[in-house]
Amino acid sequence: GEVQRFAEFGVVILLFLIGLEVRPALLWKMRTTIFGLGLAQLLGTGALIAAAALAFGLDWRVGAAVGLILAMSSTAIVLQSLEEKGMRQGPVGEASFGVLLFQDLAVIPLFALLPLLAPGGMGAPAVSHATSLLAPLPGWAQGPAQMAAVAVVVVGGRYLTRPVFRFIATARLREIFTASALLLVVAVAALMEIVGLSPALGAFLAGVVLAESEFRRELETDIEPFRGLLLGLFFITVGAGLDLGLVAAHPFAI
C-alpha cells in the first residue's frame, strides 16, 4: 500500500511534464476536444456499459455507477502507450489527451454523484481519495476554497517560481535546481491533496503555468529520470495488486 502510494507520484510527475509542453494558448485551443470529445466519450461509454449491466440484471443505479467508473481510463497507461508508439504529438495523441484531461476534471463531480446512486439514496458519504482539510467546512464553502488553492498554484507558478529559479540558477549548482524542481511538484501535489483535488491535475496545471518559463527545458531534463523510475514502479504495483482469484471466481461478471 505504501509502495503503491509512493509509486503513484510517478503519474503526478508525468502530468507535470506534459503540462510543461502544453502552453496556455494551446490548452485554450483544445477546449472543444477536452469538453466536447471528452464529455461525449464519458457519457457514451458510460451509457453503453450501463446498458450491458442492465442486460445482466443489475439495478439501474448500480449499472449507472459501473458505467461511469469503467468509462474512466488510466492516464499513465494510455499516455505511456502513446509515447512508446510515437503517437502522442499527432492528432490521435491530442484527442486522447483531451479525453484523459476531461476525465481528470470529472473525478470530483463523480465523487459527489456516486453516493446519490447508492440503493439507500443519500447513504454512505463520498469517500475521497485523500484526507481533505476542507471536510469540516460546509459544502458551499468547499468549492471556493478549492478554487483559491488553484489560484495559489497559478499565481505562485507565474510570479513566484521564476525569481526563485533565477536565484538558484546563479548558484550554478545542478543538484539544488533538481531538488527545487522536485520540491515544487511535491508542494503542488500536496496542496491539491489536502483540499480534496487530484494531485495529478494540480501538477498538470503547474506545468501549464510554467510552460512559458525560460527554465522549462531545465525542469524537463531534471525531472524526466524520476518519471521513468516511478512510473515503472507504479505499473509493478498495479500488476502485483491484481486479484487473479477474484477474476477466476467471477469471469463472466467481470
Side-chain angles (χ1 to χ4, degrees), residues 16-254:
F16 177 74
L17 291 174
I18 291 173
L20 286 175
E21 300 176 7
V22 181
R23 300 177 184 274
L26 177 61
L27 193 62
W28 176 252
K29 181 182 177 182
M30 291 177 58
R31 65 188 186 278
T32 303
T33 302
I34 296 171
F35 294 100
L37 187 59
L39 179 62
Q41 181 275 329
L42 185 65
L43 295 181
T45 306
L48 288 175
I49 296 176
L54 292 177
F56 277 96
L58 296 179
D59 183 80
W60 71 268
R61 290 166 295 191
V62 177
V66 170
L68 290 173
I69 292 171
L70 294 183
M72 308 297 283
S73 307
S74 170
T75 302
I77 294 176
V78 175
L79 290 180
Q80 187 69 16
S81 299
L82 291 173
E83 187 80 41
E84 292 172 355
K85 296 178 181 178
M87 300 172 61
R88 195 163 66 81
Q89 300 297 335
V92 174
E94 181 178 314
S96 301
F97 175 68
V99 171
L100 292 169
L101 183 56
F102 179 82
Q103 290 178 358
D104 287 335
L105 294 171
V107 167
I108 302 303
L110 287 181
F111 271 131
L113 176 63
L114 288 179
L116 301 178
L117 296 175
M122 291 290 291
V127 179
S128 176
H129 62 285
T131 302
S132 172
L133 294 182
L134 304 183
L137 296 179
W140 61 267
Q142 293 186 14
Q146 291 174 337
M147 295 303 297
V150 172
V152 168
V153 174
V154 173
V155 175
R158 190 168 185 84
Y159 298 106
L160 297 180
T161 57
R162 294 182 183 182
V164 171
F165 281 126
R166 289 193 190 103
F167 176 77
I168 294 173
T170 58
R172 300 184 181 276
L173 292 175
R174 190 59 175 266
E175 294 80 5
I176 297 179
F177 195 93
T178 302
S180 301
L182 287 174
L183 178 61
L184 171 65
V185 179
V186 171
V188 170
L191 176 62
M192 293 295 103
E193 192 165 9
I194 64 177
V195 298
L197 294 176
S198 168
L201 186 61
F204 171 75
L205 180 61
V208 171
V209 173
L210 292 171
E212 296 179 343
S213 168
E214 63 268 33
F215 300 105
R216 180 169 68 96
R217 292 301 177 192
E218 288 83 353
L219 290 170
E220 288 180 343
T221 303
D222 288 346
I223 295 182
E224 181 71 30
F226 298 95
R227 185 200 74 160
L229 175 64
L230 292 174
L231 271 183
L233 186 59
F234 170 74
F235 290 128
I236 291 174
T237 58
V238 170
L242 182 62
D243 190 345
L244 296 178
L246 180 63
V247 175
H250 308 281
F252 297 106
I254 293 176

